[in-house]
């Protein structure tokens, strides 16, 4: 079925147009039926209350004149006064009938004209024929020629017939009008019902083609997309509302597909970065540990060969700068979450074991969940490395490392076993490592304590 070009593309206007058509048909049927009913009621009232009584009055008028004629003729033939009773009764009936007709048909000029003609003919018959003949019989008993009376009564009879025919025609015309009104109402109702049925069927077909089919197709496409087929294009067709809905779904599909591609690309980048970070950390930690081990070895060599101290100090300083640059490069390039301070201290202590085969005991006290700033944690670990490096002498080394954390300060204490002949050198090295260090000497042992307020 082809949809007409004038048919609106908006679903709202389609519904409005269909409902308006049905309302128009219903209104037309109601108006025509009501008008026909009112007309039939008016006609019925006119016929029942006016025309039928007028018709009966015309019949009574005709009977009254016939009674008058019968009474006159009987009196003329028998000269018996009793035969004048029908004449008198008929005269009274004629007067009453004329009054009734004049009252009922006062609004119909033609009827009043015909009634006037009947009344004039009746008066002419009574005054010119009937009453003079009755008077002569009563006076001298003679009967004159009644030809004039018969002629006058024939005229009266003709006018009575014309009046009766006119009233009958009025009744017939009213009844015919009533029938036509009923027929018009029936035909209009039938036509409107037929048009309503056709409009309903057309509405079902048009709405099915313009709404149901596009909507079902859109639902099927959306289900395919929701099932995971994001590459399934959603086609927008049908009424404007369905088209807008399809365009919105298509835009959402395209956006989801684009975001999915971006997420996949980001996931790949994150995976590559994580792998790069892992490799960098592995290589960096290995290199830093080896460099740190070299530093300790150089310090040990400097302690054994005092003359090479300046050269060894220069090399150690260069290696320290290299370690700092390498640490900054590795952990600045790869994204790394800063571990807690006690974890970093444990790693520093673990580095000593990996380079020299032994590690001091580690004692952690205080608020271990405290997280000082990154620069403070870096300072603490650097001071600890310096202390461990200063105490790494032949025949000795760090025995215990204590880290005490609080909300006010960080306290670092390192206890070392040192041969007596090397105590002085270790004290100088610890003092050079940090000006804030407090060094206590004991027989065969040196304890250094360092505090960092927060």
């Amino acid at each position: 079925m082809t949809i007409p070009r004038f048919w609106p593309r908006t679903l709202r206007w389609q519904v409005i147009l269909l409902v308006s058509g049905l309302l128009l048909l219903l209104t037309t049927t109601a108006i025509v039926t009501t008008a026909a009913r009112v007309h039939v009621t008016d006609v019925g009232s006119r016929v029942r209350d006016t025309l039928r009584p007028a018709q009966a009055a015309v019949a009574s008028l005709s009977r009254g004149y016939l009674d008058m004629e019968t009474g006159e003729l009987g009196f003329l033939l028998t000269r018996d006064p009793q035969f004048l009773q029908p004449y008198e009764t008929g005269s009274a009936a004629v007067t009453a009938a004329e009054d009734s007709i004049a009252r009922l048909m006062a609004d119909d000029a033609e009827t009043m004209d015909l009634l006037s003609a009947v009344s004039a003919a009746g008066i002419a018959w009574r005054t010119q024929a009937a009453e003079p003949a009755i008077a002569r019989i009563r006076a001298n008993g003679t009967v004159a020629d009644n030809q004039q009376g018969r002629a006058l009564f024939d005229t009266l009879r003709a006018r009575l017939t014309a009046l009766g025919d006119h009233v009958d025609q009025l009744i017939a015309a009213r009844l015919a009008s009533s029938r036509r009104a009923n027929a018009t109402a029936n035909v209009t109702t039938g036509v409107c019902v037929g048009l309503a049925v056709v409009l309903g069927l057309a509405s079902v077909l048009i709405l099915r083609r313009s709404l149901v089919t596009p909507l079902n197709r859109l639902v099927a496409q959306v289900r395919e997309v929701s099932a995971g087929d994001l590459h399934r294009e959603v086609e927008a067709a049908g009424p404007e509302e369905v088209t807008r809905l399809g365009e919105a779904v298509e835009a959402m599909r395209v956006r989801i597909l684009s975001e999915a591609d971006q997420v996949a690309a980001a996931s790949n980048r994150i995976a590559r970065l994580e792998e790069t970070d892992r490799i960098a950390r592995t290589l960096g930690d290995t290199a830093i540990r080896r460099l740190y081990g070299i530093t300790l070895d150089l310090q040990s060599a400097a302690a054994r060969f005092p003359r090479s101290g300046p050269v060894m100090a220069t090399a150690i300083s260069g290696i320290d700068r290299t370690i700092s640059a390498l640490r900054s490069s590795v952990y600045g390039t790869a994204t790394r979450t800063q571990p807690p301070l006690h974890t970093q201290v444990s790693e520093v202590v673990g580095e000593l074991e990996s380079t020299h085969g032994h590690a001091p005991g580690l004692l952690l006290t205080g608020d271990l969940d405290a997280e000082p700033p990154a620069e403070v944690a870096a300072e603490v670990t650097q001071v600890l490395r310096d202390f461990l490096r200063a105490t790494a002498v032949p025949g000795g080394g760090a025995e215990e490392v204590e880290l005490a954390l609080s909300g006010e300060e960080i306290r670092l204490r390192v206890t070392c076993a040192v041969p007596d002949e090397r105590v002085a050198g270790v004290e100088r090295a610890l003092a050079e490592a940090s000006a804030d260090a407090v060094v206590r000497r004991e027989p065969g042992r040196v304890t250094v304590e360092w505090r960092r307020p927060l």
Side-chain angles (χ1 to χ4, degrees):
M1 177 179 179
T2 303
I3 299 177
R5 292 186 177 181
F6 66 85
W7 189 252
R9 299 301 176 184
T10 304
L11 179 60
R12 178 175 61 256
W13 286 109
Q14 292 180 7
V15 175
I16 290 175
L17 184 60
L18 294 174
V19 173
S20 300
L22 292 175
L23 289 178
L24 178 62
L25 293 176
L26 179 61
T27 303
T28 302
T29 303
I31 292 174
V32 173
T33 303
T34 302
R37 185 176 299 171
V38 171
H39 180 72
V40 170
T41 301
D42 292 341
V43 169
S45 298
R46 178 72 175 175
V47 171
R48 182 181 63 255
D49 299 334
T50 302
L51 296 180
R52 290 297 185 188
Q55 187 182 41
V58 171
S60 178
L61 180 62
S62 298
R63 287 194 301 272
Y65 276 115
L66 288 177
D67 290 342
M68 291 177 66
E69 183 188 23
T70 300
E72 178 209 5
L73 293 177
F75 181 71
L76 292 179
L77 292 175
T78 62
R79 296 178 178 80
D80 187 355
Q82 292 182 355
F83 283 95
L84 291 178
Q85 184 178 1
Y87 181 86
E88 295 174 356
T89 304
S91 178
V94 166
T95 301
E98 287 180 348
D99 292 340
S100 179
I101 295 172
R103 176 176 55 79
L104 294 171
M105 304 299 292
D107 57 346
D108 189 78
E110 186 175 357
T111 301
M112 296 305 296
D113 292 340
L114 291 175
L115 179 62
S116 297
V118 170
S119 179
I123 292 173
W125 173 70
R126 286 198 304 268
T127 59
Q128 297 178 21
E131 293 181 358
I134 293 173
R136 282 195 299 273
I137 290 295
R138 288 177 174 173
N140 53 26
T142 61
V143 179
D145 187 11
N146 199 26
Q147 292 294 329
Q148 183 181 4
R150 285 196 294 271
L152 291 174
F153 196 83
D154 289 340
T155 301
L156 174 61
R157 182 182 290 109
R159 292 181 178 179
L160 285 171
T161 302
L163 178 60
D165 291 343
H166 176 68
V167 173
D168 292 341
Q169 290 175 1
L170 288 178
I171 294 174
R174 294 285 180 171
L175 294 177
S177 175
S178 178
R179 289 191 294 271
R180 286 195 300 272
N182 281 326
T184 302
N186 294 334
V187 171
T188 303
T189 302
V191 171
C192 290
V193 169
L195 290 177
V197 172
V198 173
L199 182 60
L201 294 176
S203 301
V204 171
L205 295 177
I206 292 176
L207 289 179
R208 180 179 179 82
R209 180 179 178 85
S210 63
L211 175 62
V212 177
T213 300
L215 190 59
N216 290 338
R217 182 168 59 250
L218 177 61
V219 170
Q221 295 173 357
V222 171
R223 285 178 178 174
E224 292 181 11
V225 174
S226 64
D229 187 6
L230 295 178
H231 295 281
R232 174 67 167 88
E233 183 178 357
V234 178
E235 300 176 359
E240 184 177 348
E241 292 81 358
V242 178
T243 302
R244 290 180 179 178
L245 179 60
E247 292 174 351
V249 173
E250 174 63 14
M252 179 180 65
R253 182 193 68 83
V254 172
R255 185 171 62 253
I256 292 174
L257 191 61
S258 176
E259 292 178 355
D261 293 339
Q262 293 176 4
V263 169
S267 299
N268 292 333
R269 288 196 299 272
I270 291 174
R272 289 196 298 269
L273 288 175
E274 289 179 349
E275 182 65 17
T276 302
D277 179 63
R278 185 187 65 79
I279 295 173
R281 289 179 60 185
T282 302
L283 295 177
D285 290 345
T286 301
I288 289 172
R289 289 176 181 176
R290 290 179 179 176
L291 290 175
Y292 183 66
I294 294 173
T295 301
L296 295 178
D297 292 337
L298 290 176
Q299 285 183 343
S300 178
R304 290 195 304 270
F305 304 101
R307 293 182 179 181
S308 63
V311 178
M312 296 296 183
T314 302
I316 291 171
S317 178
I319 293 174
D320 287 342
R321 289 194 298 271
T322 303
I323 291 174
S324 299
L326 182 59
R327 185 179 297 277
S328 174
S329 176
V330 170
Y331 297 114
T333 302
T335 302
R336 176 179 178 182
T337 302
Q338 184 72 22
L341 178 57
H342 62 84
T343 301
Q344 298 183 47
V345 170
S346 299
E347 291 178 355
V348 172
V349 174
E351 291 174 358
L352 187 64
E353 181 179 11
S354 64
T355 56
H356 286 72
H358 69 279
L362 179 60
L363 178 62
L364 302 174
T365 61
D367 185 8
L368 299 181
D369 294 330
E371 294 185 5
E375 61 273 11
V376 175
E379 182 182 359
V380 172
T381 55
Q382 185 61 42
V383 168
L384 177 59
R385 284 192 176 92
D386 292 340
F387 286 167
L388 295 177
R389 187 166 52 239
T391 58
V393 295
E399 293 183 341
E400 183 181 67
V401 175
E402 179 183 357
L403 175 66
L405 298 175
S406 68
E408 298 178 355
E409 67 173 4
I410 299 175
R411 182 170 59 86
L412 186 64
R413 184 176 60 84
V414 180
T415 302
C416 308
V418 180
D420 293 336
E421 66 274 12
R422 299 187 181 274
V423 170
V426 171
E427 286 181 338
R428 288 193 301 271
L430 291 173
E432 293 175 357
S434 176
D436 298 329
V438 178
V439 182
R440 294 192 301 273
R441 179 190 298 183
E442 298 176 5
R445 188 179 304 275
V446 174
T447 302
V448 57
E449 188 171 310
W450 178 84
R451 298 176 183 270
R452 173 63 162 84
L454 296 178

